[in-house]
Amino acid sequence: MNNFTWKITGRTSAGTPPENWRDQLVVRLGYRPRRIGILAELALYGALDCLDNAKESGLPGDVLLRVCSMGGPVSAISQVLEQIHEDLPQPFSFLQSQTSQVLPALAAALSWQGDASVVMSRNSMNLALLAGQQAERCGMLLGWVEEKPCRSYWIRLAPCTTPTSSFIAASSFEEMSSESTHYWRLGRTGMEIAP
């Protein structure tokens, strides 16, 4: 077992973005994102909201960035499948159907270069555990993004010394992401949390 401990320094205001989230994203970025797809736009919205709440204007280079999705870019994939019936898919439609397009959009908006990946998983806790094992002493920016239902939930974690709080094994993602949870650490059997 290691002693890697992280403090939650920021999280998105709400997991479900408001109806005008795209307009808010335009205001935050100063421009309207083009040709990146809904999944990437949702990821941008949530990540920027999380960093605002963490009072960070950018992301340090040593921070691990992980994005999790169960469905990926479903609307873009559907569009590509429709286009295939008539001819070859349009280039931007094809690009938007790739989950990897989320990462350059985030890197550009955050002026960041570093270790990033998109993980497809049905279990939200799996991303947290995998990221914790990969991050070690580095910080993390973790996002769970879905087009349907519309969701973009992010947590910013910074490495810290282990607090005196008692840690317990996390039994659910809801418990890990609860407002009352302030610390994560890797335990022998999985992720542990503390108030």
Side-chain angles (χ1 to χ4, degrees), residues 56-69:
E56 290 183 84
S57 59
L59 199 59
D62 65 343
V63 170
L64 187 82
L65 191 151
R66 295 292 182 263
V67 184
C68 184
S69 182

Side-chain angles (χ1 to χ4, degrees), residues 24-165:
Q24 290 181 24
L25 179 60
V26 169
V27 170
R28 175 65 170 79
L29 291 173
Y31 61 89
R32 183 168 300 282
R34 297 183 60 224
R35 302 178 177 160
I36 63 171
I38 295 171
L39 190 73
E41 286 183 38
L42 278 166
L44 281 173
Y45 173 81
L48 293 170
D49 182 52
C50 179
L51 289 180
D52 284 348
N53 291 331
K55 297 181 179 29
E56 290 183 84
S57 59
L59 199 59
D62 65 343
V63 170
L64 187 82
L65 191 151
R66 295 292 182 263
V67 184
C68 184
S69 182
M70 287 179 19
V74 292
S75 61
I77 291 170
S78 296
Q79 187 176 18
V80 166
L81 291 174
E82 287 175 20
Q83 291 172 358
I84 286 174
H85 291 305
E86 298 171 12
D87 198 6
L88 293 174
Q90 297 298 311
F92 288 115
S93 299
F94 176 75
L95 285 173
Q96 290 172 4
S97 73
Q98 308 300 303
T99 55
S100 61
Q101 293 302 298
V102 171
L103 303 177
L106 286 167
L110 301 174
S111 299
W112 174 84
Q113 293 181 5
D115 185 353
S117 65
V118 177
V119 178
M120 301 299 285
S121 175
R122 293 184 181 270
N123 184 334
S124 296
M125 288 181 67
N126 288 347
L127 174 69
L129 185 58
L130 176 65
Q133 292 167 342
Q134 294 172 336
E136 297 183 345
R137 289 184 174 83
C138 296
M140 297 181 272
L141 178 61
L142 308 178
W144 293 264
V145 183
E146 300 296 340
E147 284 186 19
K148 296 178 183 179
C150 188
R151 179 178 184 208
S152 188
Y153 184 76
W154 290 76
I155 296 177
R156 172 70 169 101
L157 297 114
C160 66
T161 58
T162 302
T164 57
S165 304

